[in-house]
């Protein structure tokens, strides 16, 4: 039977469950899906804002916005447009009901459990699609999914559960390369913002020298975005900055050389310090 089985609201940065619908089914497949829920909750920050994970007879769909993710488990034949319309409705209600300050400062799991009432009512409506036709307009969601389909998460990106590697991951190649494209960095610190501004200033001062300006802009990019071999690239870029300043030794005074090299070193340090977000605690979902 095509239906929504359960839904959860989870904080993205650490996987803290904020609210969840009551789950009565205790089948083996559902127990396995709960493991996938937990694994996904640890890695939400690494994925795009709209994703689907296919787990045999079930699908896990989720959307993320403003630091909160809305996840749902449904049967494999449940229509995508209804699934993401359901999640979109949860998102709008949650944002309307709770402000970001409350979600960011929450410390206890399921501290917004009263939201479960809305999840249950909405789930019942979406499990009876004939009653939805006059209440919601699915055409916009259908067009949005067609233009920007959800990212299909391969099993290998989930890593291992309880120390045991998933059997699906054996046949998956290049998993690290896939996940790194969606890796997010830790929030920028004040020193990181200062480094970014100084690097932009160096780039502006070197516009007439072309290649030298590109080095500063590349440092800005490495400071903001995660890439593979990020630290190596930052040290190579700093080395090029030093070489360029040695080449310009006769055209600049010592203070100018000192400023550009110091800014380059400072930005390189900030790139090295701003690491990718780590795994979240193992909360039950």
């Amino acid at each position: 039977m095509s239906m929504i089985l359960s839904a959860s609201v989870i904080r993205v940065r650490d996987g803290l469950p904020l609210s969840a619908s009551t789950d009565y089914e205790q089948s083996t497949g559902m127990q396995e899906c709960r493991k996938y829920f937990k694994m996904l909750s640890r890695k939400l920050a690494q994925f795009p804002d709209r994703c689907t994970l296919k787990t045999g007879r079930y699908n896990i769909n989720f959307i993320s916005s403003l630091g909160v993710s809305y996840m749902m488990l449904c049967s494999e034949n449940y229509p995508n447009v209804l699934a993401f319309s359901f999640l979109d409705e949860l998102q709008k209600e949650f944002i309307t009901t709770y402000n970001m300050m409350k979600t960011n400062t929450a410390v206890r799991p399921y501290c917004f459990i009263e939201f479960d009432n809305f999840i249950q009512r909405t789930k019942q409506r979406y499990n009876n699609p004939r009653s939805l036709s006059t209440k919601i307009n699915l055409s916009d969601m259908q067009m949005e999914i067609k233009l920007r389909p959800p990212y299909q998460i391969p099993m290998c990106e989930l890593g291992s559960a309880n120390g045991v590697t998933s059997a699906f991951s054996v046949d998956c190649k290049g998993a690290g390369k896939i996940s790194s494209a969606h890796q997010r960095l830790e929030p920028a610190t004040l020193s990181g913002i200062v480094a970014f501004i100084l690097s932009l200033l160096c780039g502006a001062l070197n516009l007439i020298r072309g290649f030298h300006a590109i080095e500063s802009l590349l440092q800005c990019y490495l400071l903001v975005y995660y890439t593979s071999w990020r630290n190596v690239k930052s040290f190579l870029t700093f080395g090029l900055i030093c070489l360029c300043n040695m080449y310009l030794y006769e055209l600049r005074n010592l203070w100018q050389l000192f400023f550009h090299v110091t800014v380059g070193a400072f930005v390189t340090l900030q790139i090295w310090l701003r690491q990718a977000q780590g795994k979240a605690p193992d909360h039950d979902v």
Side-chain angles (χ1 to χ4, degrees):
M1 183 178 177
S2 174
M3 64 184 302
I4 297 172
L5 300 171
S6 64
S8 300
V9 181
I10 300 168
R11 189 163 62 191
V12 171
R13 78 166 188 264
D14 56 5
L16 180 74
L18 302 176
S19 185
S21 63
T22 305
D23 187 5
Y24 296 105
E25 189 173 338
Q26 300 295 325
S27 66
T28 303
M30 285 291 293
Q31 293 291 340
E32 191 70 18
C33 284
R34 289 193 189 96
K35 293 181 182 179
Y36 295 137
F37 255 75
K38 290 168 62 178
M39 294 163 71
L40 277 173
S41 69
R42 302 186 198 115
K43 299 188 175 187
L44 287 170
Q46 300 179 17
F47 296 116
D49 62 347
R50 180 187 294 153
C51 297
T52 295
L53 174 68
K54 296 183 181 296
T55 62
R57 295 189 298 116
Y58 305 101
N59 289 343
I60 298 175
N61 303 299
F62 68 88
I63 60 174
S64 301
S65 177
L66 300 176
V68 178
S69 187
Y70 308 86
M71 302 177 66
M72 55 94 77
L73 174 68
C74 61
S75 52
E76 61 178 336
N77 55 350
Y78 193 79
N80 253 2
V81 64
L82 290 180
F84 285 100
S85 181
F86 167 76
L87 293 174
D88 187 60
E89 198 162 328
L90 294 189
Q91 174 186 262
K92 290 176 180 176
E93 181 66 20
F94 192 85
I95 291 173
T96 302
T97 307
Y98 307 103
N99 59 45
M100 289 185 62
M101 180 66 71
K102 286 186 177 180
T103 59
N104 288 334
T105 56
V107 293
R108 293 183 298 104
Y110 306 107
C111 56
F112 302 128
I113 194 62
E114 66 276 4
F115 190 71
D116 173 45
N117 294 328
F118 179 81
I119 296 178
Q120 294 286 16
R121 291 197 306 270
T122 310
K123 186 172 72 170
Q124 290 172 5
R125 285 175 50 230
Y126 276 82
N127 281 338
N128 185 16
R130 286 177 296 181
S131 66
L132 290 172
S133 57
T134 58
K135 296 182 180 180
I136 61 174
N137 183 4
L138 298 176
S139 59
D140 291 341
M141 179 60 68
Q142 195 164 14
M143 180 60 68
E144 188 175 346
I145 290 177
K146 184 177 180 180
L147 295 175
R148 192 169 65 90
Y151 174 68
Q152 302 289 327
I153 302 176
M155 282 290 183
C156 56
E157 284 199 40
L158 294 184
S160 59
N162 300 324
V164 180
T165 303
S166 170
F168 292 95
S169 64
V170 175
D171 298 325
C172 185
K173 305 298 182 180
K177 294 180 181 178
I178 296 172
S179 60
S180 66
H182 308 292
Q183 183 76 41
R184 294 186 182 182
L185 297 170
E186 295 174 347
T189 60
L190 178 60
S191 57
I193 295 172
V194 172
F196 180 82
I197 294 172
L198 289 174
S199 189
L200 280 181
L201 177 61
C202 287
L205 292 174
N206 291 303
L207 280 177
I208 60 174
R209 293 187 172 89
F211 183 77
H212 198 12
I214 293 174
E215 296 163 0
S216 298
L217 297 178
L218 178 58
Q219 281 197 318
C220 290
Y221 179 83
L222 293 173
L223 186 60
V224 174
Y225 296 104
Y226 181 88
T227 66
S228 57
W229 300 91
R230 181 167 165 266
N231 289 336
V232 174
K233 291 175 183 177
S234 67
F235 284 111
L236 288 175
T237 304
F238 176 62
L240 288 174
I241 289 174
C242 293
L243 288 174
C244 285
N245 278 281
M246 289 174 61
Y247 179 77
L248 297 171
Y249 179 76
E250 295 181 355
L251 300 176
R252 287 177 170 171
N253 59 45
L254 290 177
W255 285 110
Q256 290 175 317
L257 294 174
F258 177 77
F259 174 75
H260 284 85
V261 172
T262 302
V263 169
F266 180 56
V267 177
T268 301
L269 175 63
Q270 293 305 313
I271 293 172
W272 182 75
L273 291 175
R274 191 183 184 198
Q275 298 299 314
Q277 290 180 338
K279 291 183 180 180
D282 188 11
H283 296 296
D284 290 328
V285 178

